[in-house]
PDB file of all heavy atoms in Angstrom:
ATOM      1  N   PRO A  25     -13.914  16.898  -8.977  1.00  0.00           N
ATOM      2  CA  PRO A  25     -14.307  18.277  -8.836  1.00  0.00           C
ATOM      3  C   PRO A  25     -15.670  18.563  -8.310  1.00  0.00           C
ATOM      4  O   PRO A  25     -16.060  19.576  -7.965  1.00  0.00           O
ATOM      5  CB  PRO A  25     -14.195  18.900 -10.265  1.00  0.00           C
ATOM      6  CG  PRO A  25     -14.222  17.578 -11.151  1.00  0.00           C
ATOM      7  CD  PRO A  25     -13.599  16.488 -10.371  1.00  0.00           C
ATOM      8  N   SER A  62     -26.616  28.466  10.301  1.00  0.00           N
ATOM      9  CA  SER A  62     -27.888  28.339   9.623  1.00  0.00           C
ATOM     10  C   SER A  62     -28.045  26.832   9.118  1.00  0.00           C
ATOM     11  O   SER A  62     -28.226  26.639   7.944  1.00  0.00           O
ATOM     12  CB  SER A  62     -27.883  29.274   8.443  1.00  0.00           C
ATOM     13  OG  SER A  62     -29.128  29.296   7.847  1.00  0.00           O
ATOM     14  N   GLY A  65     -30.680  25.660   6.720  1.00  0.00           N
ATOM     15  CA  GLY A  65     -30.460  26.116   5.395  1.00  0.00           C
ATOM     16  C   GLY A  65     -29.281  25.395   4.734  1.00  0.00           C
ATOM     17  O   GLY A  65     -29.463  25.015   3.570  1.00  0.00           O
ATOM     18  N   ALA A  76     -28.720  17.788  -7.339  1.00  0.00           N
ATOM     19  CA  ALA A  76     -28.403  18.359  -8.646  1.00  0.00           C
ATOM     20  C   ALA A  76     -27.034  18.020  -9.150  1.00  0.00           C
ATOM     21  O   ALA A  76     -26.455  18.665 -10.016  1.00  0.00           O
ATOM     22  CB  ALA A  76     -28.455  19.934  -8.525  1.00  0.00           C
ATOM     23  N   GLN A 100     -35.862  14.659   4.297  1.00  0.00           N
ATOM     24  CA  GLN A 100     -35.515  15.017   2.807  1.00  0.00           C
ATOM     25  C   GLN A 100     -34.468  14.040   2.382  1.00  0.00           C
ATOM     26  O   GLN A 100     -34.715  13.152   1.709  1.00  0.00           O
ATOM     27  CB  GLN A 100     -34.980  16.469   2.790  1.00  0.00           C
ATOM     28  CG  GLN A 100     -36.076  17.476   3.457  1.00  0.00           C
ATOM     29  CD  GLN A 100     -37.419  17.438   2.833  1.00  0.00           C
ATOM     30  OE1 GLN A 100     -37.620  17.280   1.604  1.00  0.00           O
ATOM     31  NE2 GLN A 100     -38.451  17.620   3.657  1.00  0.00           N
ATOM     32  N   TYR A 106     -36.256   6.891  -2.025  1.00  0.00           N
ATOM     33  CA  TYR A 106     -37.395   5.888  -1.895  1.00  0.00           C
ATOM     34  C   TYR A 106     -38.680   6.582  -2.336  1.00  0.00           C
ATOM     35  O   TYR A 106     -39.394   5.919  -3.139  1.00  0.00           O
ATOM     36  CB  TYR A 106     -37.432   5.502  -0.482  1.00  0.00           C
ATOM     37  CG  TYR A 106     -38.398   4.350  -0.180  1.00  0.00           C
ATOM     38  CD1 TYR A 106     -38.038   3.094  -0.321  1.00  0.00           C
ATOM     39  CD2 TYR A 106     -39.760   4.641   0.248  1.00  0.00           C
ATOM     40  CE1 TYR A 106     -38.859   1.936  -0.052  1.00  0.00           C
ATOM     41  CE2 TYR A 106     -40.639   3.592   0.434  1.00  0.00           C
ATOM     42  CZ  TYR A 106     -40.160   2.267   0.330  1.00  0.00           C
ATOM     43  OH  TYR A 106     -41.058   1.208   0.515  1.00  0.00           O
ATOM     44  N   LYS A 111     -35.357   6.572  -8.498  1.00  0.00           N
ATOM     45  CA  LYS A 111     -34.850   7.069  -9.770  1.00  0.00           C
ATOM     46  C   LYS A 111     -33.672   8.159  -9.528  1.00  0.00           C
ATOM     47  O   LYS A 111     -33.096   8.585 -10.534  1.00  0.00           O
ATOM     48  CB  LYS A 111     -35.915   7.710 -10.643  1.00  0.00           C
ATOM     49  CG  LYS A 111     -36.672   6.535 -11.307  1.00  0.00           C
ATOM     50  CD  LYS A 111     -37.855   7.099 -12.186  1.00  0.00           C
ATOM     51  CE  LYS A 111     -38.954   7.633 -11.332  1.00  0.00           C
ATOM     52  NZ  LYS A 111     -40.143   7.958 -12.057  1.00  0.00           N
ATOM     53  N   LYS A 147     -26.801   6.045   5.848  1.00  0.00           N
ATOM     54  CA  LYS A 147     -25.800   5.103   6.291  1.00  0.00           C
ATOM     55  C   LYS A 147     -25.047   5.786   7.380  1.00  0.00           C
ATOM     56  O   LYS A 147     -24.718   7.042   7.395  1.00  0.00           O
ATOM     57  CB  LYS A 147     -24.843   4.864   5.119  1.00  0.00           C
ATOM     58  CG  LYS A 147     -25.508   4.128   3.962  1.00  0.00           C
ATOM     59  CD  LYS A 147     -24.573   3.682   2.865  1.00  0.00           C
ATOM     60  CE  LYS A 147     -25.266   2.820   1.873  1.00  0.00           C
ATOM     61  NZ  LYS A 147     -24.404   2.345   0.767  1.00  0.00           N
TER      62      LYS A 147
ATOM     63  N   THR B  91     -45.455   7.631 -11.304  1.00  0.00           N
ATOM     64  CA  THR B  91     -44.232   8.385 -11.462  1.00  0.00           C
ATOM     65  C   THR B  91     -43.113   7.911 -10.507  1.00  0.00           C
ATOM     66  O   THR B  91     -41.994   7.835 -10.836  1.00  0.00           O
ATOM     67  CB  THR B  91     -44.415   9.879 -11.174  1.00  0.00           C
ATOM     68  OG1 THR B  91     -45.657  10.268 -11.882  1.00  0.00           O
ATOM     69  CG2 THR B  91     -43.358  10.757 -11.696  1.00  0.00           C
ATOM     70  N   ASN B 112     -43.389  18.087  -1.701  1.00  0.00           N
ATOM     71  CA  ASN B 112     -42.806  17.938  -0.337  1.00  0.00           C
ATOM     72  C   ASN B 112     -43.900  17.979   0.728  1.00  0.00           C
ATOM     73  O   ASN B 112     -44.728  18.854   0.751  1.00  0.00           O
ATOM     74  CB  ASN B 112     -41.829  19.123  -0.056  1.00  0.00           C
ATOM     75  CG  ASN B 112     -40.706  18.617   0.826  1.00  0.00           C
ATOM     76  OD1 ASN B 112     -40.921  18.024   1.889  1.00  0.00           O
ATOM     77  ND2 ASN B 112     -39.440  18.852   0.383  1.00  0.00           N
ATOM     78  N   GLY B 124     -29.557  24.715  -2.612  1.00  0.00           N
ATOM     79  CA  GLY B 124     -28.476  23.783  -2.912  1.00  0.00           C
ATOM     80  C   GLY B 124     -28.417  23.469  -4.362  1.00  0.00           C
ATOM     81  O   GLY B 124     -27.344  23.356  -4.878  1.00  0.00           O
ATOM     82  N   TYR B 131     -22.133  26.495  -9.454  1.00  0.00           N
ATOM     83  CA  TYR B 131     -20.820  25.946  -9.480  1.00  0.00           C
ATOM     84  C   TYR B 131     -20.329  25.323 -10.790  1.00  0.00           C
ATOM     85  O   TYR B 131     -19.257  25.423 -11.211  1.00  0.00           O
ATOM     86  CB  TYR B 131     -20.736  24.834  -8.328  1.00  0.00           C
ATOM     87  CG  TYR B 131     -19.414  24.163  -8.213  1.00  0.00           C
ATOM     88  CD1 TYR B 131     -18.351  24.685  -7.707  1.00  0.00           C
ATOM     89  CD2 TYR B 131     -19.347  22.738  -8.679  1.00  0.00           C
ATOM     90  CE1 TYR B 131     -17.116  24.038  -7.600  1.00  0.00           C
ATOM     91  CE2 TYR B 131     -18.075  22.094  -8.590  1.00  0.00           C
ATOM     92  CZ  TYR B 131     -17.003  22.728  -8.122  1.00  0.00           C
ATOM     93  OH  TYR B 131     -15.748  22.035  -7.996  1.00  0.00           O
ATOM     94  N   LYS B 132     -21.389  24.689 -11.408  1.00  0.00           N
ATOM     95  CA  LYS B 132     -21.122  24.109 -12.812  1.00  0.00           C
ATOM     96  C   LYS B 132     -21.058  25.147 -13.873  1.00  0.00           C
ATOM     97  O   LYS B 132     -20.698  24.821 -15.023  1.00  0.00           O
ATOM     98  CB  LYS B 132     -22.231  23.137 -13.069  1.00  0.00           C
ATOM     99  CG  LYS B 132     -22.231  21.841 -12.274  1.00  0.00           C
ATOM    100  CD  LYS B 132     -23.429  21.044 -12.597  1.00  0.00           C
ATOM    101  CE  LYS B 132     -23.509  19.796 -11.688  1.00  0.00           C
ATOM    102  NZ  LYS B 132     -24.757  19.100 -11.810  1.00  0.00           N
ATOM    103  N   GLU B 154     -34.139  31.004   6.236  1.00  0.00           N
ATOM    104  CA  GLU B 154     -32.669  30.727   6.062  1.00  0.00           C
ATOM    105  C   GLU B 154     -32.334  30.659   4.668  1.00  0.00           C
ATOM    106  O   GLU B 154     -31.291  30.988   4.142  1.00  0.00           O
ATOM    107  CB  GLU B 154     -32.339  29.440   6.754  1.00  0.00           C
ATOM    108  CG  GLU B 154     -32.469  29.494   8.346  1.00  0.00           C
ATOM    109  CD  GLU B 154     -31.927  28.252   9.116  1.00  0.00           C
ATOM    110  OE1 GLU B 154     -31.010  27.582   8.580  1.00  0.00           O
ATOM    111  OE2 GLU B 154     -32.449  27.929  10.144  1.00  0.00           O
ATOM    112  N   ALA B 319     -41.596  -2.935  -1.366  1.00  0.00           N
ATOM    113  CA  ALA B 319     -41.498  -2.118  -0.254  1.00  0.00           C
ATOM    114  C   ALA B 319     -40.009  -1.976   0.276  1.00  0.00           C
ATOM    115  O   ALA B 319     -39.607  -1.037   0.988  1.00  0.00           O
ATOM    116  CB  ALA B 319     -42.351  -2.666   0.862  1.00  0.00           C
ATOM    117  N   THR B 325     -29.033   2.891  -2.865  1.00  0.00           N
ATOM    118  CA  THR B 325     -28.757   2.523  -4.212  1.00  0.00           C
ATOM    119  C   THR B 325     -28.285   1.022  -4.292  1.00  0.00           C
ATOM    120  O   THR B 325     -28.408   0.453  -5.342  1.00  0.00           O
ATOM    121  CB  THR B 325     -27.560   3.329  -4.850  1.00  0.00           C
ATOM    122  OG1 THR B 325     -26.421   3.358  -3.919  1.00  0.00           O
ATOM    123  CG2 THR B 325     -28.054   4.840  -4.973  1.00  0.00           C
ATOM    124  N   TYR B 329     -30.791  -3.028   3.615  1.00  0.00           N
ATOM    125  CA  TYR B 329     -30.311  -3.593   4.781  1.00  0.00           C
ATOM    126  C   TYR B 329     -30.715  -2.655   5.965  1.00  0.00           C
ATOM    127  O   TYR B 329     -31.074  -1.537   5.653  1.00  0.00           O
ATOM    128  CB  TYR B 329     -28.797  -3.755   4.843  1.00  0.00           C
ATOM    129  CG  TYR B 329     -28.005  -2.694   4.283  1.00  0.00           C
ATOM    130  CD1 TYR B 329     -27.861  -1.454   4.867  1.00  0.00           C
ATOM    131  CD2 TYR B 329     -27.317  -2.935   3.040  1.00  0.00           C
ATOM    132  CE1 TYR B 329     -27.128  -0.454   4.252  1.00  0.00           C
ATOM    133  CE2 TYR B 329     -26.618  -1.982   2.409  1.00  0.00           C
ATOM    134  CZ  TYR B 329     -26.471  -0.713   3.016  1.00  0.00           C
ATOM    135  OH  TYR B 329     -25.733   0.248   2.448  1.00  0.00           O
TER     136      TYR B 329
END
Side-chain angles (χ1 to χ4, degrees):
Chain A
S62 186
Q100 310 301 325
Y106 189 87
K111 283 179 286 189
K147 295 192 178 181
Chain B
T91 316
N112 211 310
Y131 178 71
K132 288 175 184 169
E154 292 187 29
T325 55
Y329 40 73

